[in-house]
Amino acid sequence: MSNLDSLDKIVSLAKARGFIFQSSEIYGGLSAVYDYGPLGVELKRNIRDAWWKEMTRRHDNIVGIDAAIFMHPKVWEASGHIGGFNDPMIDDKQSKKRYRADMIIEQYIEKLRKDDKHEEANAIQEKLDSCGSRKSLTEDLYEIIMENEIRAPESGAFDWTEVRQFNLMFKTQFGSTSTEEDGVYLRPETAQGIFVNYKNVLDTARVQVPFGIAQTGKAFRNEVVARQFVFRMREFEQMEMQYFVKPGTDEAEYDKWLEKRLEWHKMIGIREENLRTAPHPEDKLAHYARAAADIQYKYPIGWQEVEGIHNRTDFDLTQHAEFSGKKLDYFDQKNQERFVPYVIETSVGLDRLTLMVLCDAYREEEVDGDKRTVLKMNPKLAPTQVGIFPLIKKDKLQDLAHKIEEDLREEFSVLYDESGSIGKRYRRQDEAGTPFCITVDFDGVESEGEDTVTIRYRDDMSQDRVPVSKLAEVIRNGMKGWKPE
Ligand code: GAP
Protein backbone atom coordinates (compact mmCIF):
# COMPACT_ATOMS: atom_id res chain seq x y z
CA MET A 1 0.00 0.00 0.00
CA SER A 2 1.05 3.51 -0.66
CA ASN A 3 1.36 5.46 2.59
CA LEU A 4 0.35 8.80 1.19
CA ASP A 5 -2.19 10.83 3.06
CA SER A 6 -1.01 14.17 1.69
CA LEU A 7 1.22 15.50 -1.05
CA ASP A 8 3.83 16.63 1.50
CA LYS A 9 5.90 13.43 1.39
CA ILE A 10 6.06 13.51 -2.41
CA VAL A 11 6.99 17.20 -2.38
CA SER A 12 9.84 16.52 0.09
CA LEU A 13 11.14 13.45 -1.73
CA ALA A 14 10.88 15.24 -5.09
CA LYS A 15 13.07 18.05 -3.79
CA ALA A 16 15.50 15.94 -1.77
CA ARG A 17 16.21 13.51 -4.62
CA GLY A 18 16.19 16.02 -7.48
CA PHE A 19 12.92 15.21 -9.19
CA ILE A 20 11.13 18.57 -8.92
CA PHE A 21 12.13 21.99 -7.55
CA GLN A 22 10.19 25.19 -7.04
CA SER A 23 11.00 27.62 -9.85
CA SER A 24 13.48 30.41 -8.97
CA GLU A 25 13.75 29.00 -5.47
CA ILE A 26 16.74 31.16 -4.47
CA TYR A 27 14.50 34.20 -4.95
CA GLY A 28 11.71 32.78 -2.84
CA GLY A 29 10.05 30.81 -5.64
CA LEU A 30 7.45 31.62 -8.25
CA SER A 31 3.96 30.44 -7.40
CA ALA A 32 2.65 27.39 -9.32
CA VAL A 33 5.77 27.15 -11.51
CA TYR A 34 8.20 24.24 -11.12
CA ASP A 35 11.51 23.01 -12.54
CA TYR A 36 12.48 19.39 -13.10
CA GLY A 37 15.83 18.21 -11.72
CA PRO A 38 18.14 15.44 -12.97
CA LEU A 39 15.86 12.55 -11.95
CA GLY A 40 12.64 14.39 -12.77
CA VAL A 41 13.66 15.27 -16.29
CA GLU A 42 14.46 11.61 -17.05
CA LEU A 43 11.19 10.38 -15.53
CA LYS A 44 9.19 12.98 -17.42
CA ARG A 45 10.97 12.19 -20.68
CA ASN A 46 10.32 8.46 -20.26
CA ILE A 47 6.62 9.10 -19.66
CA ARG A 48 6.46 11.42 -22.67
CA ASP A 49 8.21 8.80 -24.84
CA ALA A 50 5.82 6.06 -23.64
CA TRP A 51 2.84 8.26 -24.60
CA TRP A 52 4.36 9.16 -27.98
CA LYS A 53 5.07 5.51 -28.79
CA GLU A 54 1.54 4.52 -27.80
CA MET A 55 -0.18 7.30 -29.73
CA THR A 56 1.90 7.48 -32.91
CA ARG A 57 4.08 4.41 -33.49
CA ARG A 58 1.36 1.94 -32.49
CA HIS A 59 -1.12 3.55 -34.94
CA ASP A 60 -0.42 3.83 -38.64
CA ASN A 61 -3.05 6.58 -39.00
CA ILE A 62 -1.76 8.95 -36.30
CA VAL A 63 1.05 11.38 -37.10
CA GLY A 64 2.84 13.93 -34.94
CA ILE A 65 3.49 17.67 -35.18
CA ASP A 66 5.26 20.26 -33.07
CA ALA A 67 3.48 23.60 -33.37
CA ALA A 68 4.82 26.89 -31.97
CA ILE A 69 3.60 28.22 -28.63
CA PHE A 70 2.78 31.62 -30.14
CA MET A 71 -0.12 31.61 -32.55
CA HIS A 72 -2.00 34.25 -34.49
CA PRO A 73 -4.29 36.11 -32.02
CA LYS A 74 -7.30 35.31 -34.21
CA VAL A 75 -6.84 31.63 -33.26
CA TRP A 76 -8.02 32.40 -29.74
CA GLU A 77 -11.00 34.41 -30.94
CA ALA A 78 -12.03 31.53 -33.17
CA SER A 79 -11.45 28.90 -30.50
CA GLY A 80 -13.64 30.78 -28.01
CA HIS A 81 -10.82 31.26 -25.49
CA ILE A 82 -10.94 35.05 -25.59
CA GLY A 83 -14.67 35.09 -24.98
CA GLY A 84 -15.16 31.97 -22.93
CA PHE A 85 -11.99 30.93 -21.11
CA ASN A 86 -12.91 32.85 -18.00
CA ASP A 87 -13.61 32.06 -14.40
CA PRO A 88 -15.90 34.26 -12.30
CA MET A 89 -13.77 35.26 -9.31
CA ILE A 90 -14.44 37.07 -6.06
CA ASP A 91 -11.87 38.36 -3.54
CA ASP A 92 -12.11 38.26 0.24
CA LYS A 93 -10.91 41.78 1.15
CA GLN A 94 -9.79 40.68 4.62
CA SER A 95 -7.54 37.75 3.69
CA LYS A 96 -6.86 39.00 0.11
CA LYS A 97 -7.64 35.46 -1.07
CA ARG A 98 -9.38 34.95 -4.41
CA TYR A 99 -12.09 32.32 -4.94
CA ARG A 100 -14.21 30.98 -7.77
CA ALA A 101 -17.60 32.57 -7.04
CA ASP A 102 -19.64 29.56 -8.20
CA MET A 103 -17.54 27.22 -6.03
CA ILE A 104 -18.11 29.31 -2.93
CA ILE A 105 -21.84 28.99 -3.55
CA GLU A 106 -21.60 25.26 -4.24
CA GLN A 107 -19.72 24.71 -0.97
CA TYR A 108 -22.41 26.69 0.85
CA ILE A 109 -25.13 24.51 -0.73
CA GLU A 110 -23.25 21.38 0.31
CA LYS A 111 -23.07 22.63 3.88
CA LEU A 112 -26.82 23.32 3.92
CA ARG A 113 -27.48 19.77 2.73
CA LYS A 114 -25.24 18.36 5.46
CA ASP A 115 -27.34 20.33 7.96
CA ASP A 116 -30.52 18.83 6.45
CA LYS A 117 -31.64 22.21 5.10
CA HIS A 118 -32.61 20.72 1.77
CA GLU A 119 -35.32 23.19 0.81
CA GLU A 120 -33.01 26.16 1.22
CA ALA A 121 -30.22 24.30 -0.61
CA ASN A 122 -32.53 23.48 -3.54
CA ALA A 123 -33.68 27.09 -3.85
CA ILE A 124 -30.08 28.38 -4.02
CA GLN A 125 -29.08 25.59 -6.40
CA GLU A 126 -31.91 26.62 -8.72
CA LYS A 127 -30.71 30.23 -8.66
CA LEU A 128 -27.13 29.10 -9.28
CA ASP A 129 -28.19 26.97 -12.25
CA SER A 130 -29.94 29.94 -13.83
CA CYS A 131 -27.15 32.46 -13.24
CA GLY A 132 -26.70 34.74 -16.24
CA SER A 133 -30.41 34.72 -17.03
CA ARG A 134 -31.44 37.53 -14.65
CA LYS A 135 -28.70 40.15 -15.06
CA SER A 136 -25.15 39.17 -16.10
CA LEU A 137 -23.42 36.00 -14.87
CA THR A 138 -21.18 37.95 -12.49
CA GLU A 139 -24.03 40.06 -11.10
CA ASP A 140 -26.25 37.02 -10.55
CA LEU A 141 -23.49 35.16 -8.72
CA TYR A 142 -22.73 38.21 -6.58
CA GLU A 143 -26.38 38.55 -5.68
CA ILE A 144 -26.56 34.96 -4.37
CA ILE A 145 -23.49 35.52 -2.20
CA MET A 146 -24.94 38.76 -0.80
CA GLU A 147 -28.49 37.46 -0.25
CA ASN A 148 -27.26 34.44 1.68
CA GLU A 149 -24.46 36.26 3.46
CA ILE A 150 -21.99 33.58 2.38
CA ARG A 151 -18.71 34.00 4.24
CA ALA A 152 -15.14 33.41 3.06
CA PRO A 153 -14.08 29.80 3.78
CA GLU A 154 -10.77 30.66 5.41
CA SER A 155 -11.19 34.02 7.15
CA GLY A 156 -14.91 33.68 7.87
CA ALA A 157 -15.32 37.32 6.81
CA PHE A 158 -18.23 38.73 4.87
CA ASP A 159 -16.25 41.40 3.08
CA TRP A 160 -16.26 40.67 -0.63
CA THR A 161 -15.26 42.54 -3.77
CA GLU A 162 -17.56 42.30 -6.77
CA VAL A 163 -17.46 39.19 -8.92
CA ARG A 164 -15.18 39.70 -11.91
CA GLN A 165 -14.38 37.60 -14.95
CA PHE A 166 -10.77 36.54 -14.91
CA ASN A 167 -9.30 35.37 -18.24
CA LEU A 168 -6.89 32.49 -17.80
CA MET A 169 -4.69 33.36 -20.78
CA PHE A 170 -1.33 35.08 -20.43
CA LYS A 171 -0.90 37.96 -22.84
CA THR A 172 2.35 39.40 -24.10
CA GLN A 173 3.58 41.67 -26.89
CA PHE A 174 5.13 40.92 -30.26
CA GLY A 175 7.71 43.28 -31.77
CA SER A 176 9.31 46.36 -30.27
CA THR A 177 6.24 48.59 -30.06
CA SER A 178 3.44 47.47 -27.83
CA THR A 179 0.17 48.35 -29.47
CA GLU A 180 -3.04 46.39 -28.92
CA GLU A 181 -2.58 44.73 -32.33
CA ASP A 182 0.77 43.30 -31.28
CA GLY A 183 -0.82 41.38 -28.42
CA VAL A 184 -0.18 37.64 -28.52
CA TYR A 185 -1.11 34.94 -26.06
CA LEU A 186 0.81 32.06 -24.59
CA ARG A 187 -1.31 29.10 -25.70
CA PRO A 188 -3.62 27.74 -22.98
CA GLU A 189 -3.89 24.36 -24.76
CA THR A 190 -1.80 22.69 -27.45
CA ALA A 191 -4.89 21.50 -29.35
CA GLN A 192 -5.29 24.67 -31.43
CA GLY A 193 -1.86 24.13 -33.01
CA ILE A 194 -3.26 20.86 -34.32
CA PHE A 195 -6.49 22.37 -35.68
CA VAL A 196 -4.73 25.11 -37.61
CA ASN A 197 -2.35 22.53 -39.11
CA TYR A 198 -5.11 20.05 -40.01
CA LYS A 199 -5.06 21.09 -43.69
CA ASN A 200 -1.25 21.03 -43.89
CA VAL A 201 -1.18 17.49 -42.53
CA LEU A 202 -4.02 16.39 -44.80
CA ASP A 203 -2.17 17.77 -47.83
CA THR A 204 1.23 16.33 -46.97
CA ALA A 205 0.91 13.16 -44.90
CA ARG A 206 -1.39 11.15 -47.20
CA VAL A 207 -3.80 10.47 -44.35
CA GLN A 208 -7.51 9.72 -44.70
CA VAL A 209 -10.33 10.15 -42.23
CA PRO A 210 -10.27 8.66 -39.65
CA PHE A 211 -6.80 9.88 -38.74
CA GLY A 212 -5.13 11.54 -35.78
CA ILE A 213 -2.56 14.24 -35.06
CA ALA A 214 -0.57 14.07 -31.83
CA GLN A 215 1.51 16.73 -30.14
CA THR A 216 3.27 17.35 -26.86
CA GLY A 217 4.24 20.79 -25.60
CA LYS A 218 3.93 23.58 -23.09
CA ALA A 219 0.65 25.29 -22.24
CA PHE A 220 0.07 28.27 -19.95
CA ARG A 221 -2.87 29.24 -17.76
CA ASN A 222 -3.08 31.96 -15.19
CA GLU A 223 -4.69 29.57 -12.71
CA VAL A 224 -6.24 31.27 -9.72
CA VAL A 225 -6.34 28.32 -7.40
CA ALA A 226 -2.85 26.92 -7.83
CA ARG A 227 -1.62 25.42 -4.60
CA GLN A 228 -1.27 21.72 -5.33
CA PHE A 229 2.35 21.20 -6.41
CA VAL A 230 2.57 20.10 -10.06
CA PHE A 231 -1.09 19.15 -10.12
CA ARG A 232 -2.17 22.68 -11.04
CA MET A 233 0.52 24.87 -12.55
CA ARG A 234 0.66 28.09 -14.49
CA GLU A 235 3.15 26.64 -16.98
CA PHE A 236 2.66 22.95 -17.73
CA GLU A 237 3.01 20.40 -20.48
CA GLN A 238 0.17 18.77 -22.37
CA MET A 239 0.12 15.69 -24.58
CA GLU A 240 -2.87 15.87 -26.89
CA MET A 241 -4.22 13.89 -29.81
CA GLN A 242 -7.03 15.04 -32.08
CA TYR A 243 -8.71 12.20 -33.94
CA PHE A 244 -10.62 13.37 -37.04
CA VAL A 245 -13.64 11.20 -37.77
CA LYS A 246 -16.71 11.14 -39.99
CA PRO A 247 -19.74 12.74 -38.27
CA GLY A 248 -22.02 9.97 -37.06
CA THR A 249 -19.08 7.75 -36.07
CA ASP A 250 -18.04 10.19 -33.33
CA GLU A 251 -19.90 8.59 -30.43
CA ALA A 252 -18.41 5.13 -31.05
CA GLU A 253 -14.92 6.65 -31.49
CA TYR A 254 -15.33 8.62 -28.28
CA ASP A 255 -16.19 5.42 -26.35
CA LYS A 256 -13.27 3.60 -27.97
CA TRP A 257 -10.72 6.28 -27.07
CA LEU A 258 -11.95 6.59 -23.50
CA GLU A 259 -11.46 2.85 -23.06
CA LYS A 260 -8.08 2.80 -24.84
CA ARG A 261 -6.71 5.67 -22.77
CA LEU A 262 -7.83 4.15 -19.48
CA GLU A 263 -6.07 0.90 -20.47
CA TRP A 264 -2.87 2.82 -21.23
CA HIS A 265 -2.70 4.20 -17.69
CA LYS A 266 -2.91 0.63 -16.39
CA MET A 267 -0.34 -0.49 -18.94
CA ILE A 268 2.25 1.96 -17.66
CA GLY A 269 1.80 0.39 -14.23
CA ILE A 270 -0.76 2.50 -12.37
CA ARG A 271 -2.78 0.33 -10.00
CA GLU A 272 -6.27 -0.32 -11.31
CA GLU A 273 -8.01 0.51 -8.02
CA ASN A 274 -6.59 4.05 -8.19
CA LEU A 275 -8.08 4.81 -11.61
CA ARG A 276 -11.62 5.53 -12.70
CA THR A 277 -13.55 7.39 -15.41
CA ALA A 278 -16.01 10.17 -14.65
CA PRO A 279 -18.28 11.58 -17.37
CA HIS A 280 -18.97 15.32 -17.21
CA PRO A 281 -22.63 16.21 -16.64
CA GLU A 282 -24.11 17.87 -19.73
CA ASP A 283 -24.54 21.25 -18.03
CA LYS A 284 -20.84 21.33 -17.04
CA LEU A 285 -19.37 20.71 -20.51
CA ALA A 286 -16.67 23.03 -21.89
CA HIS A 287 -17.85 25.44 -24.58
CA TYR A 288 -16.53 23.18 -27.37
CA ALA A 289 -17.64 19.76 -26.15
CA ARG A 290 -20.65 17.57 -26.89
CA ALA A 291 -19.47 14.86 -24.51
CA ALA A 292 -16.52 14.68 -22.12
CA ALA A 293 -15.12 12.40 -19.47
CA ASP A 294 -12.20 12.57 -17.08
CA ILE A 295 -9.83 9.76 -16.41
CA GLN A 296 -9.27 10.31 -12.72
CA TYR A 297 -6.54 9.15 -10.35
CA LYS A 298 -6.85 8.85 -6.61
CA TYR A 299 -4.24 11.48 -5.68
CA PRO A 300 -3.55 12.18 -1.99
CA ILE A 301 -5.76 15.27 -2.54
CA GLY A 302 -8.65 13.04 -3.67
CA TRP A 303 -9.98 11.74 -6.98
CA GLN A 304 -8.84 14.23 -9.63
CA GLU A 305 -8.62 14.48 -13.40
CA VAL A 306 -5.38 13.35 -14.99
CA GLU A 307 -6.71 13.14 -18.56
CA GLY A 308 -9.74 14.44 -20.44
CA ILE A 309 -11.47 12.77 -23.41
CA HIS A 310 -13.70 15.14 -25.38
CA ASN A 311 -16.01 14.95 -28.33
CA ARG A 312 -15.31 18.42 -29.77
CA THR A 313 -17.63 17.87 -32.77
CA ASP A 314 -16.78 20.09 -35.77
CA PHE A 315 -16.69 23.14 -33.48
CA ASP A 316 -13.01 24.04 -33.90
CA LEU A 317 -12.64 23.35 -37.62
CA THR A 318 -15.88 25.22 -38.39
CA GLN A 319 -14.77 28.19 -36.29
CA HIS A 320 -11.32 28.31 -37.89
CA ALA A 321 -12.84 28.03 -41.36
CA GLU A 322 -15.10 30.98 -40.58
CA PHE A 323 -12.43 33.18 -38.98
CA SER A 324 -9.68 32.40 -41.53
CA GLY A 325 -11.88 32.24 -44.61
CA LYS A 326 -10.13 28.96 -45.58
CA LYS A 327 -11.97 25.75 -46.40
CA LEU A 328 -11.31 23.11 -43.76
CA ASP A 329 -13.61 20.34 -44.93
CA TYR A 330 -12.69 16.89 -46.16
CA PHE A 331 -13.49 15.12 -49.39
CA ASP A 332 -14.06 11.42 -49.06
CA GLN A 333 -12.94 10.04 -52.46
CA LYS A 334 -14.39 6.61 -51.95
CA ASN A 335 -17.91 7.74 -51.11
CA GLN A 336 -17.68 10.97 -53.10
CA GLU A 337 -18.89 13.06 -50.16
CA ARG A 338 -17.69 16.22 -48.47
CA PHE A 339 -17.91 16.92 -44.72
CA VAL A 340 -16.24 18.74 -41.86
CA PRO A 341 -14.74 16.02 -39.63
CA TYR A 342 -15.70 15.69 -36.00
CA VAL A 343 -12.86 15.54 -33.51
CA ILE A 344 -12.32 13.19 -30.60
CA GLU A 345 -9.65 14.62 -28.36
CA THR A 346 -7.47 12.88 -25.79
CA SER A 347 -5.69 15.41 -23.57
CA VAL A 348 -3.38 14.54 -20.72
CA GLY A 349 -1.12 16.71 -18.58
CA LEU A 350 2.46 15.41 -18.45
CA ASP A 351 3.10 16.99 -15.05
CA ARG A 352 -0.04 15.45 -13.57
CA LEU A 353 1.01 12.12 -15.07
CA THR A 354 4.47 12.44 -13.52
CA LEU A 355 2.88 13.24 -10.17
CA MET A 356 0.55 10.25 -10.56
CA VAL A 357 3.48 7.91 -11.29
CA LEU A 358 5.33 9.22 -8.23
CA CYS A 359 2.28 8.92 -5.95
CA ASP A 360 1.41 5.44 -7.15
CA ALA A 361 4.97 4.22 -6.77
CA TYR A 362 5.61 5.69 -3.31
CA ARG A 363 5.92 3.16 -0.46
CA GLU A 364 7.24 3.26 3.06
CA GLU A 365 8.22 -0.16 4.36
CA GLU A 366 9.83 -1.49 7.49
CA VAL A 367 12.98 -3.48 6.84
CA ASP A 368 14.89 -4.97 9.80
CA GLY A 369 13.54 -2.27 12.09
CA ASP A 370 14.44 0.55 9.67
CA LYS A 371 12.18 2.59 7.45
CA ARG A 372 12.69 2.10 3.71
CA THR A 373 11.21 4.64 1.28
CA VAL A 374 10.96 3.17 -2.17
CA LEU A 375 9.46 4.17 -5.51
CA LYS A 376 8.07 0.99 -7.05
CA MET A 377 7.50 2.35 -10.52
CA ASN A 378 7.49 0.64 -13.88
CA PRO A 379 11.20 -0.06 -14.67
CA LYS A 380 10.68 1.31 -18.20
CA LEU A 381 9.81 4.72 -16.69
CA ALA A 382 12.47 4.77 -13.97
CA PRO A 383 14.96 7.66 -14.33
CA THR A 384 17.85 5.30 -13.58
CA GLN A 385 17.30 1.70 -14.55
CA VAL A 386 20.50 0.11 -13.34
CA GLY A 387 22.77 1.08 -10.42
CA ILE A 388 26.27 -0.38 -10.66
CA PHE A 389 28.39 -0.62 -7.52
CA PRO A 390 31.84 -2.04 -6.78
CA LEU A 391 31.52 -3.45 -3.24
CA ILE A 392 34.61 -1.51 -2.15
CA LYS A 393 37.08 0.84 -3.87
CA LYS A 394 39.54 -1.73 -5.23
CA ASP A 395 40.85 -1.66 -8.82
CA LYS A 396 39.70 -5.14 -9.66
CA LEU A 397 36.11 -4.42 -8.63
CA GLN A 398 36.07 -0.87 -10.01
CA ASP A 399 37.38 -2.02 -13.40
CA LEU A 400 34.73 -4.67 -13.84
CA ALA A 401 31.99 -2.29 -12.60
CA HIS A 402 33.09 0.32 -15.18
CA LYS A 403 33.15 -2.33 -17.91
CA ILE A 404 29.57 -3.35 -17.02
CA GLU A 405 28.58 0.31 -17.03
CA GLU A 406 29.99 0.68 -20.58
CA ASP A 407 28.30 -2.52 -21.77
CA LEU A 408 24.85 -1.61 -20.44
CA ARG A 409 24.67 2.14 -21.05
CA GLU A 410 23.65 1.90 -24.74
CA GLU A 411 20.48 0.01 -23.80
CA PHE A 412 19.66 1.16 -20.27
CA SER A 413 20.09 4.31 -18.20
CA VAL A 414 22.85 3.42 -15.75
CA LEU A 415 24.52 4.99 -12.76
CA TYR A 416 27.92 4.09 -11.29
CA ASP A 417 28.23 4.69 -7.55
CA GLU A 418 31.08 3.72 -5.23
CA SER A 419 30.46 6.04 -2.29
CA GLY A 420 29.06 4.95 1.07
CA SER A 421 28.15 1.53 2.40
CA ILE A 422 26.39 -0.83 0.03
CA GLY A 423 23.24 -0.59 2.18
CA LYS A 424 23.21 3.20 1.82
CA ARG A 425 23.71 2.92 -1.93
CA TYR A 426 20.73 0.54 -2.21
CA ARG A 427 18.53 2.93 -0.17
CA ARG A 428 19.52 5.89 -2.34
CA GLN A 429 18.49 3.97 -5.45
CA ASP A 430 15.26 2.76 -3.78
CA GLU A 431 14.25 6.39 -3.29
CA ALA A 432 15.12 7.14 -6.91
CA GLY A 433 13.03 4.16 -8.10
CA THR A 434 16.00 2.28 -9.62
CA PRO A 435 14.69 -1.24 -10.29
CA PHE A 436 18.01 -3.13 -10.61
CA CYS A 437 21.28 -2.74 -8.70
CA ILE A 438 24.39 -4.69 -9.63
CA THR A 439 27.13 -5.25 -7.06
CA VAL A 440 30.60 -6.40 -8.08
CA ASP A 441 32.28 -8.34 -5.25
CA PHE A 442 35.38 -10.50 -4.79
CA ASP A 443 33.38 -13.76 -4.81
CA GLY A 444 32.35 -12.98 -8.38
CA VAL A 445 35.71 -11.94 -9.82
CA GLU A 446 37.97 -14.39 -8.07
CA SER A 447 36.06 -17.62 -8.58
CA GLU A 448 37.00 -19.81 -11.51
CA GLY A 449 35.27 -19.42 -14.87
CA GLU A 450 33.22 -16.44 -15.96
CA ASP A 451 32.90 -13.36 -13.73
CA THR A 452 29.62 -13.13 -11.85
CA VAL A 453 27.88 -10.29 -9.99
CA THR A 454 24.82 -9.99 -7.78
CA ILE A 455 21.71 -8.29 -9.08
CA ARG A 456 19.35 -6.89 -6.48
CA TYR A 457 15.69 -6.29 -7.26
CA ARG A 458 14.17 -3.08 -5.88
CA ASP A 459 10.65 -4.31 -5.20
CA ASP A 460 11.29 -7.36 -3.00
CA MET A 461 15.00 -6.76 -2.35
CA SER A 462 15.84 -10.32 -3.42
CA GLN A 463 19.24 -10.97 -4.99
CA ASP A 464 20.54 -13.35 -7.65
CA ARG A 465 24.05 -14.18 -8.73
CA VAL A 466 24.33 -13.75 -12.49
CA PRO A 467 27.17 -14.23 -15.04
CA VAL A 468 28.20 -10.83 -16.43
CA SER A 469 27.39 -11.96 -20.00
CA LYS A 470 23.77 -12.61 -18.99
CA LEU A 471 23.15 -9.26 -17.28
CA ALA A 472 21.42 -7.46 -20.17
CA GLU A 473 19.08 -10.40 -20.74
CA VAL A 474 18.19 -10.66 -17.04
CA ILE A 475 17.40 -6.92 -16.89
CA ARG A 476 15.39 -7.07 -20.13
CA ASN A 477 13.29 -9.95 -18.75
CA GLY A 478 12.86 -8.19 -15.42
CA MET A 479 11.50 -5.15 -17.23
CA LYS A 480 9.12 -7.14 -19.39
CA GLY A 481 7.73 -9.17 -16.53
CA TRP A 482 7.20 -6.26 -14.11
CA LYS A 483 3.76 -5.85 -12.53
CA PRO A 484 2.63 -3.26 -9.93
CA GLU A 485 2.05 -4.69 -6.45
N1 GAP B 1 -7.45 20.65 -25.03
C1 GAP B 1 -8.33 20.30 -23.99
C2 GAP B 1 -7.86 20.73 -22.69
O1 GAP B 1 -6.91 21.49 -22.58
P1 GAP B 1 -8.27 20.46 -20.12
O2 GAP B 1 -9.17 19.49 -19.39
O3 GAP B 1 -8.41 21.89 -19.81
O4 GAP B 1 -8.55 20.19 -21.66
C3 GAP B 1 -6.34 18.75 -20.30
O5 GAP B 1 -6.77 20.03 -19.91
C4 GAP B 1 -5.33 18.19 -19.31
O6 GAP B 1 -4.28 19.13 -19.12
C5 GAP B 1 -5.91 17.95 -17.92
O7 GAP B 1 -6.51 16.69 -17.83
C6 GAP B 1 -4.67 18.05 -17.05
O8 GAP B 1 -3.99 16.82 -17.00
C7 GAP B 1 -3.81 19.05 -17.79
N2 GAP B 1 -3.93 20.38 -17.15
C8 GAP B 1 -4.88 21.32 -17.34
N3 GAP B 1 -4.64 22.41 -16.60
C9 GAP B 1 -3.50 22.17 -15.91
C10 GAP B 1 -2.72 22.90 -14.97
N4 GAP B 1 -3.06 24.14 -14.62
N5 GAP B 1 -1.61 22.33 -14.45
C11 GAP B 1 -1.23 21.08 -14.81
N6 GAP B 1 -1.93 20.34 -15.71
C12 GAP B 1 -3.05 20.87 -16.25
Side-chain angles (χ1 to χ4, degrees):
M1 274 301 292
S2 157
N3 316 74
L4 279 173
D5 41 22
S6 79
L7 276 180
D8 295 353
K9 286 180 176 171
I10 290 291
V11 177
S12 310
L13 180 79
K15 180 172 158 56
R17 296 313 322 269
F19 281 98
I20 302 169
F21 308 120
Q22 174 92 57
S23 160
S24 324
E25 199 183 334
I26 58 169
Y27 290 100
L30 186 65
S31 167
V33 186
Y34 291 90
D35 299 339
Y36 285 78
L39 290 185
V41 73
E42 294 292 337
L43 174 60
K44 195 172 154 192
R45 189 191 307 278
N46 291 343
I47 298 173
R48 191 193 293 110
D49 288 350
W51 182 89
W52 190 258
K53 187 170 175 191
E54 169 68 17
M55 301 306 276
T56 64
R57 302 219 189 118
R58 291 206 178 104
H59 294 90
D60 52 19
N61 65 345
I62 303 181
V63 294
I65 64 161
D66 184 12
I69 287 171
F70 289 129
M71 301 183 74
H72 195 288
K74 276 255 181 271
V75 167
W76 306 112
E77 274 179 52
S79 70
H81 283 85
I82 287 181
F85 199 51
N86 298 312
D87 278 344
M89 307 303 299
I90 190 164
D91 293 7
D92 170 15
K93 288 191 212 156
Q94 306 253 319
S95 67
K96 309 265 183 282
K97 287 228 158 80
R98 181 165 289 168
Y99 300 93
R100 279 255 308 263
D102 56 330
M103 283 191 170
I104 294 278
I105 300 171
E106 273 178 5
Q107 280 167 13
Y108 182 69
I109 294 172
E110 213 170 285
K111 188 172 171 298
L112 289 175
R113 291 200 195 288
K114 272 198 193 130
D115 297 344
D116 277 337
K117 296 182 179 164
H118 294 288
E119 236 173 77
E120 206 181 322
N122 291 343
I124 301 174
Q125 184 71 57
E126 216 169 283
K127 275 198 130 180
L128 179 62
D129 293 344
S130 55
C131 269
S133 65
R134 293 175 288 281
K135 295 178 194 159
S136 66
L137 174 74
T138 49
E139 284 171 300
D140 288 351
L141 287 166
Y142 183 72
E143 201 171 279
I144 299 177
I145 293 172
M146 289 301 120
E147 272 176 2
N148 296 282
E149 292 190 21
I150 301 176
R151 293 178 173 272
E154 276 150 276
S155 72
F158 181 60
D159 192 8
W160 296 109
T161 60
E162 285 167 23
V163 177
R164 283 169 298 199
Q165 288 285 14
F166 191 82
N167 195 288
L168 299 185
M169 281 198 294
F170 286 100
K171 195 173 186 185
T172 185
Q173 242 75 40
F174 240 38
S176 51
T177 54
S178 49
T179 63
E180 241 334 273
E181 296 84 70
D182 295 329
V184 286
Y185 296 92
L186 299 185
R187 65 183 177 194
E189 61 170 10
T190 56
Q192 297 305 323
I194 292 180
F195 292 124
V196 301
N197 277 294
Y198 149 85
K199 198 92 181 79
N200 287 335
V201 172
L202 204 56
D203 292 346
T204 55
R206 298 163 59 83
V207 283
Q208 289 175 357
V209 167
F211 73 96
I213 306 178
Q215 162 166 237
T216 72
K218 291 272 186 159
F220 304 82
R221 294 183 191 175
N222 200 359
E223 297 283 4
V224 186
V225 184
R227 286 186 286 270
Q228 293 145 326
F229 196 38
V230 294
F231 180 81
R232 199 179 305 284
M233 303 155 86
R234 297 204 165 101
E235 174 182 340
F236 56 100
E237 194 164 338
Q238 283 189 320
M239 307 198 290
E240 301 200 296
M241 193 278 296
Q242 318 296 132
Y243 200 66
F244 298 86
V245 304
K246 186 173 173 182
T249 64
D250 50 306
E251 284 177 26
E253 292 285 0
Y254 168 82
D255 292 343
K256 186 186 87 185
W257 277 105
L258 180 57
E259 181 64 28
K260 263 165 99 86
R261 292 303 304 149
L262 179 66
E263 283 311 305
W264 181 78
H265 289 270
K266 294 179 199 163
M267 203 179 85
I268 62 164
I270 303 302
R271 286 168 294 175
E272 206 167 330
E273 66 269 26
N274 292 337
L275 288 165
R276 71 177 188 192
T277 57
H280 290 197
E282 258 177 51
D283 60 334
K284 293 263 158 66
L285 290 175
H287 62 276
Y288 52 71
R290 172 193 248 185
D294 293 346
I295 295 175
Q296 297 185 337
Y297 176 71
K298 199 174 176 188
Y299 288 98
I301 49 172
W303 284 101
Q304 297 284 347
E305 170 185 354
V306 60
E307 173 156 5
I309 314 297
H310 311 121
N311 179 349
R312 293 181 78 129
T313 68
D314 57 1
F315 174 84
D316 302 88
L317 288 183
T318 307
Q319 287 289 102
H320 286 306
E322 192 186 319
F323 277 72
S324 67
K326 299 282 186 312
K327 273 197 167 167
L328 295 178
D329 55 6
Y330 174 79
F331 184 64
D332 179 350
Q333 296 274 3
K334 205 164 117 210
N335 298 308
Q336 294 290 300
E337 53 177 332
R338 198 171 276 287
F339 54 83
V340 179
Y342 270 32
V343 169
I344 308 303
E345 167 181 74
T346 73
S347 175
V348 63
L350 180 51
D351 310 272
R352 276 192 201 178
L353 260 179
T354 306
L355 181 62
M356 174 176 79
V357 168
L358 286 172
C359 290
D360 214 62
Y362 186 93
R363 307 283 197 288
E364 282 171 14
E365 296 174 348
E366 200 162 300
V367 180
D368 302 330
D370 282 338
K371 190 181 96 176
R372 165 172 106 122
T373 301
V374 54
L375 294 179
K376 294 185 175 179
M377 66 175 73
N378 184 336
K380 288 185 186 145
L381 302 181
T384 307
Q385 289 163 330
V386 190
I388 302 164
F389 316 143
L391 185 64
I392 52 170
K393 293 178 189 167
K394 286 277 182 222
D395 287 351
K396 214 171 186 178
L397 305 186
Q398 288 166 316
D399 291 348
L400 181 56
H402 278 306
K403 182 179 175 303
I404 293 170
E405 185 191 6
E406 280 311 305
D407 289 350
L408 296 182
R409 74 164 8 128
E410 280 305 311
E411 189 174 347
F412 310 103
S413 60
V414 300
L415 177 115
Y416 176 93
D417 184 6
E418 58 179 27
S419 68
S421 73
I422 201 76
K424 282 219 173 93
R425 281 180 263 172
Y426 284 150
R427 289 289 180 274
R428 272 204 292 269
Q429 294 312 311
D430 285 344
E431 287 187 357
T434 307
F436 310 101
C437 286
I438 292 165
T439 301
V440 182
D441 57 19
F442 286 110
D443 289 350
V445 296
E446 284 182 345
S447 54
E448 287 199 0
E450 193 185 346
D451 289 339
T452 62
V453 292
T454 61
I455 182 161
R456 182 245 194 203
Y457 300 95
R458 173 197 68 199
D459 291 357
D460 62 3
M461 295 180 292
S462 64
Q463 299 193 13
D464 282 336
R465 187 161 282 280
V466 175
V468 170
S469 63
K470 289 263 182 286
L471 270 174
E473 192 185 323
V474 168
I475 294 167
R476 232 175 273 134
N477 290 339
M479 285 198 168
K480 256 196 217 144
W482 183 84
K483 292 246 163 3
E485 21 170 277

